[in-house]
């Protein structure tokens, strides 16, 4: 099942740089510090770097799998090639559900931020409907439109990094010491907690055929992951320097709380501006996840992508209404994070090794 998208639907290799953080940097960056600080304290920044390096290794594996043979492959083609049509489609179905689950997490967590920080009495049905209508308009526009949204989102939200200047004026960098005060096992546990924040790079397995000169895009993919890693490291170091690790463990939305410190003469509550602008970072997350799910279903089962898109949006809408309190949201996030951990750290290496074995056996037979 070789994939040959029309030339007009392809993107330039360097745009992969924007697609990586376009899926990895989202609502999680607003409060990930507390989760990893519980495991590794002030040493958690090492976990962020270690996770980023392992993700780069997995990106390399993805490119190796996609570059096998002379045909242009994607995840569906790899599954059919290695496991046959029926077993391959079973794996494809699991990935469709996985992409939908990630998208539900992003949508519902962002809605919770709006509820907690801006409009406690907001109608969730109305708000999620507006967001999903926006998403539908972008996804039906095609992959190039979604890529453009990733570029715009990163450009618009990047200046928010400059807000770190305000908490740094009150920072105590002694909070970063002593370095390596935690065991390697504790640092690894924090790496596992970072999994949810790094998920999304595996969408490369779906949009790879839409890249021009695909072999030239690998360096940009690695640079994109490094950029994501840098954003998380900077956010954590600023947070641990402003708070103490004991305080940080009790702050649910550390980055958002730091935005409140911003002292500008023309804006009193800058976190309102920050949450609103962050929609430009969250929208690419949602669009990429839904596009990947509908694209995988189209490739696996031959159904029109637009029909599948409507069905997926309805599922996300119902799921967001069902997750109506903090406990349910936390439980769903925890389960999805664990599934994501096994997908990227167990299944992808298994698929890489199994493909190498199968191709070697076929080579001997031929």
């Amino acid at each position: 099942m070789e994939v040959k998208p029309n030339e007009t639907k392809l993107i330039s290799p360097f745009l992969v740089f924007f697609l990586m953080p376009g899926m990895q940097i989202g609502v999680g960056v607003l409060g990930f510090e507390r989760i990893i600080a519980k495991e590794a304290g002030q040493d958690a920044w090492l976990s962020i770097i270690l996770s980023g390096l392992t993700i780069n290794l997995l990106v390399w594996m993805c490119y190796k799998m996609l570059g096998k043979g002379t045909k242009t492959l994607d995840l569906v083609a790899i599954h059919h090639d290695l496991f046959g049509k029926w077993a391959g489609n079973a794996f494809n179905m699991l990935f469709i559900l996985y992409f939908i689950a990630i998208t539900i997490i992003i949508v519902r967590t962002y809605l919770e931020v709006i509820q907690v920080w801006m409009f406690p009495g907001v109608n969730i049905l109305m708000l999620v409907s507006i967001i999903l209508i926006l998403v539908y308009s972008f996804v039906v526009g095609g992959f190039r439109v979604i890529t453009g949204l990733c570029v715009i989102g990163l450009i618009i939200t990047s200046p928010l990094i400059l807000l770190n200047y305000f908490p740094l004026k009150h920072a105590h960098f002694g909070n970063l010491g002593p370095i390596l005060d935690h065991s390697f096992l504790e640092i690894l546990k924090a790496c596992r907690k970072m999994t949810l924040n790094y998920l999304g790079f595996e969408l490369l397995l779906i949009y790879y055929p839409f890249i021009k000169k695909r072999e030239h895009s690998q360096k940009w993919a690695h640079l994109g992951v490094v950029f994501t890693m840098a954003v998380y490291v900077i956010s954590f170091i600023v947070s641990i320097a402003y708070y103490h690790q004991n305080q940080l463990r009790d702050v649910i939305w550390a980055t958002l709380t730091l935005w409140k410190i911003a002292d500008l003469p023309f804006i009193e509550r800058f976190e309102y501006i920050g949450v609103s602008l962050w929609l430009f970072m969250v929208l690419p997350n949602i669009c990429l996840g839904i596009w990947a799910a509908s694209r995988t279903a189209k490739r696996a089962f031959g159904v029109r992508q637009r029909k599948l898109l409507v069905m997926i949006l309805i599922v996300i809408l119902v799921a967001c209404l069902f997750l109506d309190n903090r406990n349910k949201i936390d439980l769903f996030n925890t389960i999805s994070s664990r599934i994501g951990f096994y997908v990227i750290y167990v299944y992808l290496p298994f698929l890489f090794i199994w493909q190498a074995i199968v191709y070697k056996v076929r080579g001997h037979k031929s």
Side-chain angles (χ1 to χ4, degrees):
M1 291 181 65
E2 185 178 8
V3 195
K4 290 184 177 180
N6 192 292
E7 183 72 20
T8 58
K9 297 180 179 180
L10 304 184
I11 63 170
S12 299
F14 78 93
L15 291 174
V16 177
F17 172 84
F18 295 93
L19 288 169
M20 286 294 167
M23 189 63 191
Q24 291 179 317
I25 300 176
V27 72
V29 77
L30 301 179
F32 75 99
E33 298 94 336
R34 174 181 66 96
I35 299 170
I36 60 175
K38 284 183 177 180
E39 301 292 344
Q42 76 277 9
D43 288 327
W45 63 274
L46 294 169
S47 303
I48 300 172
I49 294 175
L50 184 59
S51 295
L53 295 176
T54 57
I55 295 300
N56 262 316
L57 177 61
L58 292 169
V59 169
W60 174 82
M61 288 184 182
C62 289
Y63 270 96
K64 284 292 182 182
M65 287 190 288
L66 293 164
K68 289 285 186 181
T70 57
K71 296 181 179 180
T72 304
L73 301 176
D74 63 357
L75 182 65
V76 175
I78 292 172
H79 279 156
H80 286 176
D81 185 37
L82 298 180
F83 305 112
K85 183 177 179 180
W86 295 104
N89 277 345
F91 284 111
N92 291 329
M93 190 65 208
L94 292 175
F95 267 88
I96 293 168
L97 297 175
Y98 166 68
F99 293 144
I100 293 173
I102 292 177
T103 308
I104 291 170
I105 291 173
I106 296 166
V107 175
R108 191 60 188 91
T109 307
Y110 184 68
L111 292 176
E112 186 188 22
V113 171
I114 293 175
Q115 281 182 295
V116 172
W117 287 86
M118 296 179 72
F119 307 112
V122 70
N123 186 315
I124 289 296
L125 175 61
M126 178 191 69
L127 195 57
V128 72
S129 298
I130 292 171
I131 291 175
L132 293 182
I133 289 171
L134 271 174
V135 170
Y136 177 84
S137 65
F138 284 119
V139 175
V140 296
F143 183 67
R144 285 170 63 94
V145 172
I146 298 173
T147 304
L149 182 62
C150 291
V151 176
I152 293 171
L154 196 61
I155 292 173
I156 289 177
T157 56
S158 289
L160 291 175
I161 297 175
L162 300 177
L163 293 179
N164 290 322
Y165 164 77
F166 295 98
L168 282 177
K169 292 193 295 185
H170 311 283
H172 300 278
F173 288 100
N175 293 346
L176 289 167
I179 297 175
L180 295 176
D181 188 46
H182 295 76
S183 67
F184 186 63
L185 181 60
E186 288 173 319
I187 292 174
L188 286 180
K189 287 181 179 178
C191 285
R192 183 168 183 172
K193 296 292 185 180
M194 274 298 296
T195 300
L196 188 60
N197 298 291
Y198 276 116
L199 292 180
F201 73 92
E202 64 276 18
L203 268 65
L204 171 68
L205 295 166
I206 310 299
Y207 61 71
Y208 180 77
F210 290 84
I211 306 171
K212 296 177 184 178
K213 299 179 181 178
R214 300 170 187 92
E215 64 280 1
H216 296 159
S217 68
Q218 185 171 354
K219 64 180 180 181
W220 294 107
H222 289 298
L223 287 172
V225 175
V226 171
F227 177 82
T228 300
M229 181 176 67
V231 169
Y232 282 120
V233 169
I234 292 170
S235 297
F236 181 81
I237 289 177
V238 171
S239 295
I240 200 72
Y242 181 80
Y243 304 102
H244 186 270
Q245 59 173 304
N246 296 328
Q247 294 176 310
L248 190 57
R249 290 169 181 170
D250 298 322
V251 181
I252 297 177
W253 303 103
T255 301
L256 267 175
T257 306
L258 291 179
W259 286 354
K260 292 177 68 175
I261 303 170
D263 184 18
L264 299 173
F266 53 91
I267 298 176
E268 185 175 350
R269 297 291 300 272
F270 195 87
E271 69 272 19
Y272 284 14
I273 306 296
V275 171
S276 302
L277 282 178
W278 208 250
L279 179 63
F280 288 96
M281 205 67 225
V282 172
L283 270 178
N285 294 179
I286 302 169
C287 291
L288 280 170
I290 292 175
W291 179 86
S294 59
R295 172 71 185 177
T296 305
K298 175 188 174 181
R299 290 269 298 128
F301 305 109
V303 184
R304 283 188 63 194
Q305 190 168 356
R306 189 166 296 195
K307 290 183 179 179
L308 294 165
L309 175 60
V310 174
M311 293 171 59
I312 290 170
L313 291 174
I314 292 172
V315 169
I316 293 172
L317 175 64
V318 173
C320 288
L321 294 177
F322 174 76
L323 300 171
D324 55 1
N325 60 60
R326 181 67 193 173
N327 291 332
K328 289 181 181 179
I329 296 170
D330 272 346
L331 178 61
F332 189 77
N333 283 7
T334 302
I335 294 172
S336 300
S337 179
R338 288 177 182 172
I339 293 172
F341 177 84
Y342 289 113
V343 167
I344 66 174
Y345 286 114
V346 178
Y347 183 73
L348 288 185
F350 160 75
L351 194 65
F352 174 76
I353 295 169
W354 183 246
Q355 187 194 50
I357 293 171
V358 169
Y359 274 64
K360 189 170 184 179
V361 170
R362 289 176 182 173
H364 283 306
K365 286 183 179 180
S366 62

